[in-house]
Amino acid sequence: GEDVEQSLFLSVREGDSSVINCTYTDSSSTYLYWYKQEPGAGLQLLTYIFSNMDMKQDQRLTVLLNKKDKHLSLRIADTQTGDSAIYFCAESASSNTGKLIFGQGTTLQVKP
Amino acid sequence: DTEVTQTPKHLVMGMTNKKSLKCEQHMGHRAMYWYKQKAKKPPELMFVYSYEKLSINESVPSRFSPECPNSSLLNLHLHALQPEDSALYLCASSQARLAGVEQYFGPGTRLTVT
């Protein structure tokens, strides 16, 4: 079945880079997403990558996709305290229903 | 305008009450979603509407009843809920019910069942 896994917690110092990792099982997933959720808020789509791409960069965010290993990562450069949040990796379900399969979420703590 | 709005922000209800959650978007999106999110957990899909028709029901108990009165509005009617139904209920919308189409989420309704 479809499954997405992430480590649960990451702590970094302000100004450092953060790397959040994710593995997924469905090799037919066409799109992979990173969402950010701040306390008490909904989910904000940060970026997504199509499965035929290896890398996507958007300002401080870099997404790397290793399709062979089914590994996705999100790198945040120059991490700020405002980046503290839960980050969810998600894949689009192979049934193409619009359904997203989410990982458990990685809590990013940024220390000043 | 890329905003999905949800009302109310917070709701406390007893197990015998009937209440409704509301969601609205004015982006012309034709797919709308209800998710349930427990604390420290990822969102779980409940329902998907496509062109105002229910297309996915993820085996949700009948005490949750969705309704899509028009392309901009999505309701979730609640009746005879249990304390374990307490959660953050998130609404989302997208242009279509397809992979790769961005889903925009609302801020959610924090529901407490007493």
Side-chain angles (χ1 to χ4, degrees), chain A residues 32-93:
Chain A
L32 295 139
Y33 307 82
W34 284 104
Y35 282 87
K36 175 184 180 184
Q37 187 174 32
E38 296 184 32
L43 273 69
Q44 174 195 356
L45 179 64
L46 289 178
T47 186
Y48 65 91
I49 188 166
F50 187 49
S51 58
N52 69 351
M53 298 169 66
D54 297 323
M55 186 182 89
K56 183 178 180 182
Q57 188 153 3
D58 183 2
Q59 298 183 332
R60 293 191 295 123
L61 305 179
T62 303
V63 178
L64 295 178
L65 176 60
N66 181 327
K67 199 172 178 184
K68 174 175 166 286
D69 294 338
K70 295 181 193 153
H71 183 265
L72 182 74
S73 67
L74 173 70
R75 179 176 179 269
I76 306 172
D78 186 26
T79 313
Q80 304 297 306
T81 54
D83 295 323
S84 294
I86 300 176
Y87 290 79
F88 290 99
C89 168
E91 62 174 347
S92 51

Side-chain angles (χ1 to χ4, degrees), chain B residues 15-55:
Chain B
M15 289 190 282
T16 58
N17 291 157
K18 284 185 183 181
K19 296 285 185 185
S20 297
L21 309 185
K22 295 185 185 302
C23 173
E24 192 166 2
Q25 56 88 11
H26 295 288
M27 295 178 276
H29 289 174
R30 302 315 298 265
M32 296 186 78
Y33 310 77
W34 279 116
Y35 289 85
K36 174 182 177 180
Q37 186 180 27
K38 300 286 263 184
K40 307 288 187 190
K41 296 290 184 186
E44 298 172 8
L45 184 66
M46 300 174 73
F47 302 104
V48 180
Y49 272 82
S50 179
Y51 289 86
E52 293 123 71
K53 291 194 179 349
L54 183 65
S55 60

Side-chain angles (χ1 to χ4, degrees), chain B residues 69-87:
Chain B
N70 60 55
S71 60
S72 301
L73 289 174
L74 185 66
N75 298 322
L76 186 63
H77 302 299
L78 315 172
H79 174 53
L81 293 195
Q82 303 297 311
E84 60 264 29
D85 297 321
S86 298

